[in-house]
Amino acid sequence: MGLLLVDFGCREKINPPTIEEKPTWKVVPELASLDVRYMIQHNDVLYLTAVDPNVKDTCISSGNCFYRGDISVVYKTAGAVVWTKIKGFLVTIGSMTFHDDTLYCLWNDSIYTMLPDGV
């Protein structure tokens, strides 16, 4: 009776799996002081609404209020590197949606629209 030897050994060097680096999160400077409320993407452009907590209203005894700037803002970016303010509001704004290429933005009891040409 003969002896048959079979080599099932591995001839290739197998590297152990590497530990993936954890993603690094960075603050977007233009948005750092804002309270972002809503984000939506359309045609490779990202839009967001935010409230600026640094804008305070001043109300006098008659009930009239005055603002030092836009309480709410809409920003957009095409590459997530440069964010551009496209509209400011003197009231708090909320969610947004698109219908075709028109952007709709909800605030208080009204809806603002922005047409594809930016108007």
Side-chain angles (χ1 to χ4, degrees):
M1 208 174 217
L3 180 63
L4 177 64
L5 293 175
V6 179
D7 182 9
F8 290 104
C10 182
R11 299 199 189 285
E12 289 184 44
K13 181 179 178 184
I14 299 175
N15 294 323
T18 58
I19 298 173
E20 293 184 26
E21 292 183 27
K22 293 183 179 179
T24 303
W25 291 88
K26 297 180 182 176
V27 173
V28 177
E30 296 89 345
L31 309 176
S33 66
L34 301 178
D35 178 10
V36 176
R37 298 294 176 95
Y38 196 81
M39 298 175 77
I40 190 169
Q41 183 177 358
H42 181 71
N43 292 339
D44 296 325
V45 176
L46 184 61
Y47 296 83
L48 68 82
T49 60
V51 173
D52 188 344
N54 299 314
V55 176
K56 306 272 190 236
D57 58 344
T58 303
C59 297
I60 55 177
S61 59
S62 66
N64 292 330
C65 297
F66 303 94
Y67 303 97
R68 294 185 299 161
D70 294 329
I71 294 173
S72 299
V73 289
V74 177
Y75 276 82
K76 73 176 183 176
T77 185
V81 175
V82 176
W83 290 82
T84 305
K85 178 181 171 182
I86 59 173
K87 179 68 179 161
F89 295 90
L90 294 177
V91 295
T92 303
I93 56 177
S95 58
M96 297 181 293
T97 192
F98 273 92
H99 180 67
D100 296 326
D101 286 332
T102 300
L103 174 66
Y104 292 84
C105 183
L106 177 66
W107 73 276
N108 291 345
D109 59 354
S110 298
I111 296 176
Y112 273 95
T113 62
M114 185 178 76
L115 302 175
D117 60 4
V119 177

